[in-house]
Amino acid sequence: MKRSEPRFWQSREKAGKPTQTGIVFFPAFDWAISPTHPEREERLLYTRDQLFEEGIMDLPQIREYQPRLAELKDIARVHFCVPSIEAQITEAHLVAAGGALVIADALMNGEVRNGFALVRPPGHHSMRVTHGNRGFCNINNEPIMIEYLRKKYGIKRIAIVDTDVHHGDGTQDIYWHDPDVLFISFHQDGRTLYPGSGFTDEIGGPLALGTTLNVPLPPGTTDTGINFVLEELVLPVLEKFQPELVVNSAGQDNHYTDPLANMRFSARGYAVLNERLAPDIAVLEGGYSVETALPYVNLGILMAMAGIDYSNLYEPDYQADKFRESSDRMRVLERIVRELTTVFDNREALVAAAREKHDQFARRYRRIFYDTDYIHEEQQENLRMCPDCPGYWTIDSQALHQVGERYQVYCISVPVQGCPRCHKDAVELYEKMIAAPDRRFDFVYLQDRVDDVYRQFDVTRKQERVL
Ligand SMILES: [Zn+2]
Ligand SMILES: [Zn+2]
Ligand SMILES: [Zn+2]
């Protein structure tokens, strides 16, 4: 297979034109939901063995890095953790997120041309407000890395392509109001799989319409169908969006042997996808076919990223003739590609129409279910329809936690592109809320992305924590 031509986001100037692919491994030996749970450390141990066996780790194209701990502030930049960051994480979470940060630094320092963070626990079901574990995730590794990149290196436009079989609903939620982060997720149709969302009409908040795109794939979709979506939708949209960086949420549960889903993607399909997508950074998400698929898929992704020939890569049990795409599925995919291309191409008009429709604030009410921790959250969100920036927003969130404690919190978020007026109004609102606190709330938060300051006020104790 011939490697595709380098595209604009690969051809940008990087110091010294690095040739290596960075890799971080963190299997998190001491973190599991339960000993027999599919989200356990063997997921990465088999992969590690396979990579060593194939001699991949000794190749000059590969450079291994050790993970480090992410800081609490890295998490506060993305999440409102209830009741505290510490209550939502273990050390393993800090190392998994920190592993992604190590790859981000290596890329930006010009040491590697791309990188793959093979870390767990995963993150893409974790939303902006986090009351507990959803879909095996407490905090979201890719947004933590992206907001770190924005803060430290001033990166502005980023695209995330989520190739996990489950809808990346947490990442979607975090970037719902952000027109500078393009989020594209393809996943098994939410009518047939957790978390039950990710339909074509979920296209972003009123001031960021068209920069969230969801492709619900019919169960049974093969390499052919997924590559069709990649070539006809994902790559053309990326060319138009012109991101400075492309991040891949590299879930591997589209694989035909995955026990939690019903897709028919192969390790080779994943390698082709990665070669074509050419992400700057891939971060591992799900994938639960621990012995059969994961080692091969990770191997395929790594070979593609490092530019190593993968033409002999086949799973021992792969039979190409059993994996033909059906014309019914292709028709569904053609319709989705047409629909989403139209949405993306008309995003400015969609935002203009939303401005006409809403006055000062756009509201939404939502219920969010945390399957792992069995928490029901209710949210009331208010977005300022700012003419000068993507607007600040507030979230009134309440949930009954597993331990029997009910929390109600008030969160204020100023986006990284926040204009002086939104910034000032949001800070004043927070100051007012803590000067005369509404007793319904346990905590009031300010996420000030303009000044990179994160404040949390404990209403009962009248104490503030600033990160
Ligand atoms: Zn998944
Ligand atoms: Zn504004
Ligand atoms: Zn500020």
Side-chain angles (χ1 to χ4, degrees):
M1 171 129 340
K2 186 176 148 289
R3 277 194 60 80
S4 56
E5 292 301 306
R7 286 189 298 276
F8 56 91
W9 60 82
Q10 296 167 285
S11 56
R12 72 190 182 283
E13 287 298 314
K14 270 195 250 173
K17 302 278 181 213
T19 54
Q20 287 179 303
T21 292
I23 176 170
V24 163
F25 254 108
F26 181 61
F29 295 104
D30 56 353
W31 187 85
I33 288 166
S34 74
T36 53
H37 196 281
E39 184 50 72
R40 62 184 193 270
E41 79 265 20
E42 281 89 345
R43 287 185 58 215
L44 289 188
L45 296 180
Y46 280 104
T47 294
R48 218 200 147 95
D49 288 352
Q50 179 84 9
L51 295 183
F52 274 105
E53 227 166 81
E54 303 278 339
I56 299 288
M57 300 305 285
D58 300 327
L59 292 174
Q61 294 98 318
I62 303 291
R63 177 161 173 183
E64 190 179 0
Y65 287 86
Q66 294 307 311
R68 65 173 172 86
L69 290 171
E71 291 170 23
L72 297 185
K73 188 165 178 171
D74 295 319
I75 297 167
R77 213 172 264 136
V78 171
H79 294 291
F80 296 111
C81 293
V82 187
S84 65
I85 297 174
E86 289 85 345
Q88 290 301 334
I89 59 164
T90 61
E91 192 174 64
H93 292 95
L94 293 177
V95 183
L101 300 185
V102 165
I103 291 291
D105 281 329
L107 179 80
M108 296 311 296
N109 294 336
E111 294 165 23
V112 296
R113 64 178 196 137
N114 54 22
F116 189 8
L118 284 144
V119 295
R120 61 181 288 278
H124 75 149
H125 295 301
S126 168
M127 299 192 172
R128 188 166 294 272
V129 179
T130 173
H131 284 276
N133 190 299
R134 296 184 73 248
F136 319 154
C137 308
N138 286 83
I139 58 168
N140 199 330
N141 299 323
E142 290 88 330
I144 289 170
M145 177 184 79
I146 287 169
E147 296 313 305
Y148 173 85
L149 280 163
R150 280 173 137 178
K151 173 70 189 95
K152 187 165 176 191
Y153 300 100
I155 303 257
K156 292 193 171 64
R157 290 170 79 74
I158 293 173
I160 308 166
V161 181
D162 186 316
T163 54
D164 190 281
V165 76
H166 301 97
H167 177 223
D169 55 350
T171 311
Q172 168 171 302
D173 175 72
I174 288 163
Y175 291 113
W176 189 248
H177 295 304
D178 196 329
D180 295 324
V181 178
L182 171 66
F183 176 69
I184 307 176
S185 177
F186 58 74
H187 42 264
Q188 185 175 323
D189 192 316
R191 288 170 296 187
T192 61
L193 192 69
Y194 178 87
S197 53
F199 298 103
T200 55
D201 61 348
E202 295 163 45
I203 58 172
L207 296 179
L209 290 165
T211 46
T212 295
L213 298 175
N214 284 292
V215 183
L217 301 165
T221 300
T222 66
D223 290 4
T224 310
I226 291 182
N227 278 307
F228 171 79
V229 171
L230 181 77
E231 297 295 335
E232 301 302 319
L233 177 74
V234 179
L235 295 179
V237 161
L238 287 176
E239 293 287 347
K240 292 178 216 166
F241 187 73
Q242 298 272 312
E244 291 161 76
L245 286 178
V246 175
V247 174
N248 177 211
S249 275
Q252 307 177 357
D253 30 17
N254 280 298
H255 193 268
Y256 62 88
T257 59
D258 197 273
L260 302 190
N262 318 92
M263 303 300 274
R264 290 183 154 194
F265 210 39
S266 71
R268 196 188 162 74
Y270 267 107
V272 172
L273 184 152
N274 249 266
E275 181 179 319
R276 296 291 295 144
L277 183 63
D280 297 281
I281 303 175
V283 180
L284 185 72
E285 285 295 340
Y288 303 98
S289 177
V290 172
E291 290 167 65
T292 346
L294 266 181
Y296 289 97
V297 176
N298 283 323
L299 185 66
I301 293 176
L302 198 58
M303 288 171 87
M305 288 184 84
I308 300 166
D309 177 29
Y310 57 81
S311 52
N312 290 322
L313 179 76
Y314 286 106
E315 297 84 339
D317 63 339
Y318 184 74
Q319 293 166 286
D321 54 325
K322 281 199 176 157
F323 291 82
R324 295 208 188 286
E325 197 53 276
S326 81
S327 52
D328 281 357
R329 279 193 297 264
M330 284 309 286
R331 268 196 298 278
V332 171
L333 295 177
E334 281 161 14
R335 183 179 51 69
I336 293 172
V337 165
R338 267 199 308 274
E339 180 185 343
L340 293 181
T341 302
T342 307
V343 164
F344 183 79
D345 290 344
N346 291 300
R347 62 196 187 284
E348 282 171 19
L350 291 169
V351 170
R355 284 189 190 284
E356 292 291 312
K357 197 176 120 198
H358 299 276
D359 36 290
Q360 269 214 323
F361 285 88
R363 289 166 221 284
R364 71 172 171 158
Y365 171 81
R366 301 195 293 158
R367 285 170 179 277
I368 296 154
F369 180 56
Y370 295 62
D371 59 316
T372 320
D373 279 352
Y374 212 81
I375 292 169
H376 291 273
E377 179 191 359
E378 286 180 65
Q379 274 194 12
Q380 200 112 31
E381 187 190 86
N382 268 330
L383 169 75
R384 168 184 271 173
M385 296 293 290
C386 181
D388 303 315
C389 80
Y392 80 88
W393 69 97
T394 64
I395 305 167
D396 176 339
S397 157
Q398 55 176 311
L400 180 64
H401 287 210
Q402 240 185 353
V403 287
E405 200 83 40
R406 174 171 283 283
Y407 289 104
Q408 185 163 5
V409 296
Y410 192 79
C411 313
I412 306 167
S413 188
V414 185
V416 74
Q417 317 89 329
C419 71
R421 190 169 72 108
C422 282
H423 181 218
K424 179 169 162 289
D425 289 357
V427 174
E428 280 176 11
L429 175 61
Y430 174 80
E431 300 284 1
K432 202 179 91 196
M433 294 282 295
I434 69 168
D438 182 333
R439 303 297 302 185
R440 282 180 306 153
F441 298 114
D442 299 287
F443 300 99
V444 180
Y445 299 74
L446 175 68
Q447 193 171 56
D448 180 348
R449 294 288 285 109
V450 172
D451 289 341
D452 198 36
V453 172
Y454 307 93
R455 299 166 71 177
Q456 176 176 1
F457 184 75
D458 183 328
V459 174
T460 318
R461 295 204 180 87
K462 296 189 168 40
Q463 279 172 358
E464 188 183 46
R465 181 185 198 185
V466 182
L467 288 172

